[in-house]
């Protein structure tokens, strides 16, 4: 019985950590903007601000409590572009968005 209670408590604590650290819309936008920041030059500050505003307007977040999915609206459908977990958002397919090979 004690083993079961300990297991349930451990699962509850771990689930609570995932829920508390589920990333918000800003983290997802930051992950998407990292593509542009890698390619930008310092004199492109105005362009970066414009891109930032466009990304923030286009992104929607599907929150599943322990993780979240960032989607970008397009004319035909929504495309999943980021995956967020434990306070951080990651690009799902960075290679497709940047054209650069990602080391695996």
């Amino acid at each position: 019985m004690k083993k079961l209670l300990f297991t349930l408590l451990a699962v509850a604590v771990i689930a609570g950590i995932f829920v508390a650290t589920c990333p918000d819309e800003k983290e997802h936008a930051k992950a998407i903007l990292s593509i542009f920041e890698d390619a930008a030059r310092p004199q492109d500050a105005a362009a970066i601000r414009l891109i930032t505003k466009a990304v923030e307007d286009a992104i929607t977040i599907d929150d599943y409590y322990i993780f979240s999915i960032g989607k970008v609206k397009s004319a035909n459908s929504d495309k999943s572009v980021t995956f967020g977990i434990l306070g951080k958002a990651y690009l799902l397919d960075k290679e497709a968005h940047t054209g650069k090979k990602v080391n695996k």
Side-chain angles (χ1 to χ4, degrees), residues 26-53 55-56 88 91 94 97-98 100:
K26 288 183 181 184
E27 283 298 318
H28 286 274
K30 201 180 342 176
I32 295 169
L33 291 170
S34 69
I35 297 169
F36 300 104
E37 290 171 353
D38 291 345
R41 296 179 299 255
Q43 63 267 26
D44 295 338
I48 292 295
R49 281 195 301 271
L50 181 63
I51 291 168
T52 301
K53 180 68 174 143
V55 166
E56 288 173 352
K88 184 92 171 110
L91 286 173
K94 188 170 187 173
H97 299 295
T98 62
K100 297 178 184 176

Side-chain angles (χ1 to χ4, degrees), residues 27-87:
E27 283 298 318
H28 286 274
K30 201 180 342 176
I32 295 169
L33 291 170
S34 69
I35 297 169
F36 300 104
E37 290 171 353
D38 291 345
R41 296 179 299 255
Q43 63 267 26
D44 295 338
I48 292 295
R49 281 195 301 271
L50 181 63
I51 291 168
T52 301
K53 180 68 174 143
V55 166
E56 288 173 352
D57 289 345
I59 194 168
T60 59
I61 305 301
D62 291 342
D63 188 1
Y64 297 100
Y65 299 107
I66 60 172
F67 67 93
S68 55
I69 303 288
K71 295 182 177 184
V72 174
K73 294 176 251 175
S74 67
N76 299 331
S77 65
D78 290 349
K79 179 165 172 60
S80 298
V81 292
T82 57
F83 174 78
I85 193 164
L86 294 173

Side-chain angles (χ1 to χ4, degrees), residues 11-31:
V11 168
V13 167
I14 291 170
I17 290 170
F18 277 89
V19 169
T21 60
C22 191
D24 60 1
E25 190 171 327
K26 288 183 181 184
E27 283 298 318
H28 286 274
K30 201 180 342 176

